[in-house]
Amino acid sequence: RCELAPDLDPATGAPWGWTLVGCDSDAGGALVVVRGPAPGVVRRVSVLDCPTVKVEVNGKQRTRLCVEAMASLVASTRLPRGTVAHVEEGGVEYGFSAQTAFVQGYNFGLWKGVLASAGLDVRVVKPQAWKHALGLAHKKSTKDESRALASAVFPSTREQLRRKKDHGRAEALLIAAYGHVAASARGERDANEEAETERAFDDETKSDDAERRAEDPLCALVREVVVRTVAERAALSAEDGDETHSSSEDTLRRALGPDDPLPYFGPYFGMSGKQLAAELKARSLKVSGKKMELVARLEMDDAERRRGRIAREQTHKT
């Protein structure tokens, strides 16, 4: 029996209906390809380690990405042109040496180029964005926590994440999951903005809007896993007398209801302080504060707008 090409659904022999790509661009990272018959319906997850080669740098052997092998790897996956690929942005972070910052940015640029040249829709994900959204930005976060979270969201990959050094694989999976949920959140946010400009809705339009709000299986699972994980960690910290979880992040998570979008999946991490202030001003919201406070303020406003829209639809139906 011949094995079908990776771009074909073995159940039907036809091309997969949905494909999602995530990439941790470090040399110890991975490229992951998630496939299924419909958006958010996960049937196959491929975890592919970043191809590397040993090179001499200042008289020492270093591990670096191998761009030729990267291009071959991407070609072998037979990804449809236009497939969305979420790639973690690499570059300067606090505490990085000049060489580390250069290598991080170089790796990111290589992956972005290879994926774009394959015809994929490359979307850049900031590290602080996906880590905050998935509850991994706290001070005590570990690589083991990333592996556990990725295993919960993609159970079929548990065996591939069993070793400590598999955290790069886990992060690629989480980047893909974050990207998918964030894209869904943006879609709903756009729908809300459109709805706010239209006051006359017929019943058919409302039904379509309600269907758009429904979470697909992957979005629902990410919500369930993140909410449970954050709550369990907060409970353990409370038992230990640790007060560090009284941060603005946890305040926001507690303020949002179970039907609200998960916090930090909005587009705001990619904005500069000036852009955030302009957005807040346009909504007549308080402009002062640290960046995380500005992001939280916008997330809360999004949630309140969503609640108001749903309430208006329910009132109209009655």
Side-chain angles (χ1 to χ4, degrees):
R1 178 181 172 180
C2 295
E3 185 175 345
L4 287 177
D7 58 330
L8 299 179
D9 182 346
T12 64
W16 292 100
W18 169 70
T19 306
L20 172 69
V21 176
C23 179
D24 177 359
S25 57
D26 289 342
L31 181 75
V32 302
V33 181
V34 183
R35 291 181 166 103
V41 181
V42 178
R43 289 288 183 268
R44 174 178 290 177
V45 183
S46 301
V47 181
L48 310 166
D49 293 328
C50 290
T52 60
V53 64
K54 291 290 185 180
V55 299
E56 186 174 313
V57 179
N58 296 327
K60 296 182 179 179
Q61 289 293 307
R62 303 290 187 187
T63 301
R64 296 289 186 263
L65 292 177
C66 179
V67 67
E68 294 83 5
M70 290 162 61
S72 297
L73 178 68
V74 172
S76 72
T77 61
R78 301 181 65 166
L79 294 165
R81 294 184 70 84
T83 296
V84 174
H86 301 283
V87 183
E88 183 180 48
E89 183 179 51
V92 179
E93 287 188 30
Y94 180 77
F96 277 7
S97 67
Q99 180 175 325
T100 299
F102 169 79
V103 172
Q104 291 277 334
Y106 180 75
N107 290 345
F108 165 66
L110 283 182
W111 268 117
K112 187 176 180 183
V114 168
L115 294 170
S117 66
L120 305 190
D121 178 6
V122 180
R123 300 184 186 178
V124 178
V125 175
K126 291 186 176 294
Q128 60 269 37
W130 73 263
K131 289 177 182 178
H132 271 94
L134 296 175
L136 296 172
H138 61 97
K139 293 180 180 180
K140 296 183 179 180
S141 180
T142 66
K143 300 296 185 182
D144 288 346
E145 192 175 351
S146 296
R147 290 191 296 119
L149 190 64
S151 296
V153 175
F154 297 102
S156 65
T157 66
R158 284 197 180 110
E159 184 62 22
Q160 293 169 286
L161 303 177
R162 69 184 189 282
R163 304 169 302 175
K164 285 185 176 294
K165 69 176 184 178
D166 293 332
H167 64 82
R169 297 175 175 179
E171 294 197 351
L173 288 162
L174 294 176
I175 290 164
Y178 164 82
H180 176 70
V181 178
S184 298
R186 281 194 296 273
E188 180 177 338
R189 192 173 283 106
D190 291 344
N192 288 346
E193 289 177 356
E194 289 177 10
E196 287 182 0
T197 64
E198 300 174 5
R199 295 304 179 190
F201 292 95
D202 57 34
D203 291 340
E204 182 179 352
T205 301
K206 290 178 181 302
S207 174
D208 291 343
D209 285 346
E211 288 181 8
R212 274 202 298 269
R213 282 199 302 270
E215 290 183 315
D216 64 45
L218 180 56
C219 288
L221 180 57
V222 170
R223 172 188 290 276
E224 176 189 334
V225 170
V226 170
V227 169
R228 182 179 69 243
T229 301
V230 171
E232 289 173 351
R233 187 172 63 244
L236 288 173
S237 296
E239 289 178 7
D240 295 338
D242 185 353
E243 299 298 328
T244 59
H245 282 80
S246 60
S247 65
S248 59
E249 176 187 357
D250 294 297
T251 300
L252 173 61
R253 289 186 186 278
R254 288 194 296 271
L256 293 173
D259 296 324
D260 290 326
L262 281 170
Y264 304 115
F265 278 94
Y268 308 117
F269 272 98
M271 294 183 178
S272 66
K274 188 174 182 179
Q275 290 172 321
L276 288 170
E279 181 69 21
L280 287 161
K281 187 175 181 180
R283 301 190 192 188
S284 300
L285 298 173
K286 184 180 176 182
V287 175
S288 61
K290 297 179 180 179
K291 183 172 182 178
M292 282 301 300
E293 294 171 341
L294 305 187
V295 170
R297 209 167 291 150
L298 288 168
E299 294 276 1
M300 276 300 302
D301 187 60
D302 284 345
E304 288 171 4
R305 288 185 177 199
R306 180 179 186 275
R307 293 174 199 159
R309 178 180 174 228
I310 293 173
R312 288 194 299 272
E313 290 180 1
Q314 290 175 341
T315 300
H316 179 85
K317 287 179 180 179
T318 57

